[in-house]
Amino acid sequence: MRYSLLAYNKDKDIYDGIIESDNKEELEMLAGELVYKLHNDELKDKSGEPYDWLELWDEEDDNGINDIVYC
C-alpha cells in the first residue's frame, strides 16, 4: 500500500506533497515531528507562506475515509 504525506495551504487551496512511502508508521513519525514546525509557522510553501495542516493519505482510499489530519 502507498501513502503520501501532504501539507495544505488553505488560503491558496493547494496541497503540496512532502513524501511518499509504503511505510505508514514512518510517515506518521515524520508528521509528528513536522507538527511542531507547523504550530510555529516554520513549515512553509515555496512562497514563504505557512501551511495550515498536514494530511496522511492512503493512496488506495479514494473516499478519504482513512486520511489522517495533523493540525
Side-chain angles (χ1 to χ4, degrees):
M1 206 174 287
R2 195 83 175 149
Y3 300 93
S4 295
L5 182 62
L6 299 108
Y8 183 69
N9 180 323
K10 69 179 178 182
D11 295 330
K12 294 181 180 177
D13 191 28
I14 58 166
Y15 285 94
D16 287 328
I18 295 176
I19 189 170
E20 291 185 9
S21 176
D22 294 328
N23 188 331
K24 183 178 180 181
E25 291 78 22
E26 176 184 41
L27 294 183
E28 288 174 325
M29 287 178 54
L30 177 59
E33 294 170 9
L34 291 176
V35 165
Y36 175 80
K37 290 185 175 200
L38 189 72
H39 287 182
N40 292 309
D41 290 337
E42 296 174 5
L43 189 59
K44 300 178 181 184
D45 65 14
K46 294 177 198 174
S47 70
E49 189 169 328
Y51 289 109
D52 297 288
W53 63 78
L54 301 170
E55 294 188 21
L56 180 56
W57 289 3
D58 174 345
E59 292 295 325
E60 294 181 14
D61 177 16
D62 293 335
N63 297 321
I65 294 170
N66 295 318
D67 291 354
I68 301 170
V69 178
Y70 299 87
C71 299

